[in-house]
Amino acid sequence: MKITDMHVTPIAITDPPLLNAAGLHAPYALRAVVEVVTDNGLYGLGEVPGSVATTSALEAAREVVIGKDPFQLNAIQQGLFDHFGQEGATARGDQPWDKRRIVHVNSAIEVALFDLMGKATGRPVCDLLGGRVRERVDFSAYLFYKYEGAGGELGFGVDPNAAGWAAARQQAALDPEGVVKEAQAMCKEFGFKSIKLKGGVFPPDEEVAAIHALHEAFGAGAPLRLDPNAIWTVETSIEAGRKLEGVLEYYEDPTRGQENMAQVARALSIPLATNMCTTSFDHIPGSVQLGSEAIILSDHHFWGGLRASIELARICQVFGRGLSMHSNSHVGISLAAMAHLAAATPNLTYACDTHYPWQSEEVIVGGRLKFEEGALEVTNEPGLGIELDRAALAKLHEQYKTCGLTERNDEIEMQKVQPGWTFQATRW
Amino acid sequence: MKITDMHVTPIAITDPPLLNAAGLHAPYALRAVVEVVTDNGLYGLGEVPGSVATTSALEAAREVVIGKDPFQLNAIQQGLFDHFGQEGATARGDQPWDKRRIVHVNSAIEVALFDLMGKATGRPVCDLLGGRVRERVDFSAYLFYKYEGAGGELGFGVDPNAAGWAAARQQAALDPEGVVKEAQAMCKEFGFKSIKLKGGVFPPDEEVAAIHALHEAFGAGAPLRLDPNAIWTVETSIEAGRKLEGVLEYYEDPTRGQENMAQVARALSIPLATNMCTTSFDHIPGSVQLGSEAIILSDHHFWGGLRASIELARICQVFGRGLSMHSNSHVGISLAAMAHLAAATPNLTYACDTHYPWQSEEVIVGGRLKFEEGALEVTNEPGLGIELDRAALAKLHEQYKTCGLTERNDEIEMQKVQPGWTFQATRW
């Protein structure tokens, strides 16, 4: 079996006006879909955060991939590192999302190769990762502060005929009451049991109040998480954290950097979690030395693929770290990959993040994947268990071409609503 | 595909009178061969160090394994841990070999499952581990001090018609001259380029002299290793080590325990290696904190299988540890598994240990695997690429039944030659 081609398709998916520490989500989130094709008529799919730069890096990776046997993950990965160099592999940037090109490229391709290996062997991807330890993967409700609008105030109106979650997600959520309503609608629709609030948007006291409101609305047993995306000082993180002890399941990246996180960790009884201060294997020694967090949010897009994520899981087990999973806006290819990985990772005991409820479009046959009681059932079909809907892909590619966006920049979007607004790595 | 049966066959293989810190090899080394059979007519092979206790543990593991799908490695491993408990999973004992039952059982079964998965998918095992990064796996010459005799003075004579290495390995090697002759014959026959001497047998100065004799005979470029199996004090290790700086490639377990190893490491410029002080994932935090070694010798039999060994490789990469591979007396099933694992482990850059040249029997069709220029070519055949020679297996099982040994005990064998000799955890 040999790889004969690799297609890279940038897409834009409608995204609501979600707020975060870096600003405002644009009306479209960009993703790149990778399709690796083999000489025996199979294809494998991968998906990563998109940008013009990522598209061109993936295009450049074609020459490494084409002609190879898809089982040669080590050789292909080495070829990618040789091609791109290690530069940019460790610095993720200050924004809440991760900008390292080589890990994106590597992840997109590795997932597509696992999909291919699964199809070639008639096995679901989780079986190529050691087999499932759970049939259903729990996800969490991912709450955002948001403006009104289905796809941003900057181009999309609301659908007055929408009902249920589709109606609720059009509403503004700018205070504790709005956040609780959003949570109730999302949990009712999808059955999520864990709840995460993306913070770093309003002054810390308002976000603490939102968590307390969720605690009151959902009861003491509901696992709650708050993620200020590292823009709080150590002092603010500790002050806010004290008010959240006994309330939060975990406190995600209140402040920036392993040293600061370690200071906050020592001061509080709540477990700290991160996808910002310990985000690559190079950061593990510092994490171990400093004790910067109790829980690592893995993300196969950013840790270098599915195998690397399982190696991270072992490291978490060895060093007493809990393991959860991070997400960005995505469609079903990433969701399927996340589910297969989670199914095969014994110590991934926290419900995984997903932005999926905020999106409405898909590129896979059969449309949107369904959560039941907050969980995704892991397929037994070969590979990722999904097929590419080429018409849907073409439509979302067209949307990419016309939307005018070339990379994620939440600051520019925010400035359209609040002129002069600027991103601050530390705000409160 | 379902597992319908699992056969456990203890075997005894002829072993020469090799000396080590714990005494003398018995005329037979014990191994256990595991054959896992599936409902589609396939079988997979595994091999681990043998003993009556290991045989009965493997027999007890049958109920965990039978009825399962061989791809469900995580579930089967969890079943084994549930069955046996974690007890004994971390304490390897003071002897040069490892006595942890659960890791042996888990390893034997996991290798057999990989062999099955490979056969079921038409893929060599290395391709199920990420694919090969090398076509040929380098092994090292594993020298022992030894008495004269082909299978121990305690039952075997020498073959006067033997030639080449077969003749040389019958000779005594009890001083530097004997060690050099042994090395020359072994390297001539197999083409090994790295050379390891099992020490801990004679007073340290004699072993230092043997290393210097090897250095003189093989030249400054020959990678040399000395392994006193942890029976030297810190002071002795440092004193001997100073005489070996610039001569040894690495210095393996001169002294016992991570704290002592760390002291020696700080005093010397030679890299320290271990398969005795950092031997399980539970030991990694201590290794990182103390800096007990520069190189870890992995061993899939003792680290919990092939996947665990790859996870160890990542940990070595993360914490700046080199990676080599440990061996016990073994036949071709273990050798094939070691080669597939090494082929798929990018940072396994040291030549691997193997006792294989000291054995002459086999259980695989076609007989003994061949080294060329010190390396084993990794097969492209499905699974481990070997088939079971059932007549040979039966013969070696019969040898097991008649040899009278129930477990490895080098102290008792040594007492037959040197009455009153006792093992000392620290001797010099």
Side-chain angles (χ1 to χ4, degrees), chain B residues 171-217:
Chain B
Q171 304 304 311
L174 298 164
D175 54 21
E177 192 190 348
V179 166
V180 168
K181 277 190 183 163
E182 184 183 280
Q184 286 168 332
M186 193 188 275
C187 290
K188 185 176 176 198
E189 175 90 8
F190 301 102
F192 298 128
K193 289 165 191 74
S194 302
I195 298 173
K196 165 173 170 171
L197 174 62
K198 172 66 79 183
V201 174
F202 293 113
D205 272 353
E206 295 185 35
E207 302 192 348
V208 168
I211 292 292
H212 282 285
L214 288 167
H215 185 65
E216 190 152 325

Side-chain angles (χ1 to χ4, degrees), chain A residues 281-304:
Chain A
F281 291 108
D282 291 344
H283 296 157
I284 296 290
S287 158
V288 168
Q289 196 194 330
L290 296 165
S292 42
E293 75 284 315
I295 297 154
I296 294 177
L297 274 68
S298 69
D299 185 326
H300 71 268
H301 308 86
F302 302 139
W303 281 83

Side-chain angles (χ1 to χ4, degrees), chain A residues 144-194:
Chain A
F144 281 83
Y145 288 107
K146 71 181 290 285
Y147 292 130
E148 189 173 282
E153 297 194 306
L154 315 164
F156 294 88
V158 299
D159 173 5
N161 298 317
W165 167 245
R169 76 171 166 196
Q170 299 180 149
Q171 304 305 311
L174 298 164
D175 54 22
E177 192 191 347
V179 166
V180 168
K181 277 189 184 163
E182 183 184 282
Q184 286 167 332
M186 192 187 276
C187 290
K188 186 177 175 196
E189 176 90 7
F190 301 101
F192 297 129
K193 289 165 191 74
S194 302

Side-chain angles (χ1 to χ4, degrees), chain A residues 1 69 71-74 121 123 127 129-133 281 284-285 288 307-308 310-311 314-315 318-319 344, chain B residues 69 71-74 121 123 127 129-133 281 284-285 288 307-308 310-311 314-315 318-319 344:
Chain A
M1 181 162 56
D69 163 11
F71 281 76
Q72 304 309 314
L73 304 177
N74 287 321
T121 60
R123 285 284 174 170
D127 279 8
L129 297 170
R132 68 188 71 203
V133 291
F281 291 108
I284 296 290
V288 168
R307 293 191 305 147
I310 282 180
E311 291 160 4
R314 172 65 84 170
I315 288 173
V318 165
F319 291 100
Chain B
D69 163 13
F71 282 75
Q72 304 309 314
L73 304 177
N74 288 321
T121 59
R123 286 283 173 170
D127 280 7
L129 297 170
R132 71 190 69 204
V133 290
F281 291 107
I284 295 292
V288 168
R307 293 190 306 149
I310 283 179
E311 291 160 5
R314 171 66 83 168
I315 287 172
V318 166
F319 290 100

Side-chain angles (χ1 to χ4, degrees), chain B residues 7-155:
Chain B
H7 308 299
V8 181
T9 312
I11 61 171
I13 52 176
T14 310
D15 207 27
L18 307 179
L19 289 154
N20 67 81
L24 181 65
H25 280 209
Y28 299 97
L30 308 184
R31 302 291 284 179
V33 172
V34 167
E35 180 189 3
V36 178
V37 181
T38 55
D39 58 2
N40 55 350
L42 298 176
Y43 68 93
L45 298 174
E47 176 196 345
V48 282
S51 71
V52 166
T54 296
T55 301
S56 79
L58 283 165
E59 289 288 357
R62 293 175 77 246
E63 68 181 69
V64 174
V65 174
I66 293 172
K68 300 280 201 317
D69 163 13
F71 282 75
Q72 304 309 314
L73 304 177
N74 288 321
I76 291 170
Q77 183 167 312
Q78 191 52 55
L80 293 172
F81 274 96
D82 290 346
H83 189 90
F84 291 99
Q86 293 277 347
E87 200 190 345
T90 56
R92 67 177 294 290
D94 280 343
Q95 277 89 352
W97 60 95
D98 198 306
K99 296 166 84 172
R100 293 167 299 165
R101 190 112 337 113
I102 177 64
V103 291
H104 293 193
V105 168
N106 195 42
S107 161
I109 292 169
E110 199 220 38
V111 168
L113 299 177
F114 265 102
D115 190 20
L116 271 172
M117 291 189 288
K119 286 172 171 168
T121 59
R123 286 283 173 170
V125 166
C126 60
D127 280 7
L128 305 181
L129 297 170
R132 71 190 69 204
V133 290
R134 47 186 71 89
E135 296 295 326
R136 300 158 58 81
V137 173
D138 286 327
F139 286 86
S140 64
Y142 200 154
L143 309 182
F144 281 83
Y145 287 108
K146 69 180 293 282
Y147 292 130
E148 188 173 283
E153 297 193 307
L154 314 163

Side-chain angles (χ1 to χ4, degrees), chain A residues 238 260-270 272 290-294:
Chain A
I238 292 172
N260 289 341
M261 285 283 283
Q263 274 195 61
V264 175
R266 282 194 296 274
L268 298 176
S269 65
I270 325 175
L272 260 56
L290 296 165
S292 42
E293 75 284 315

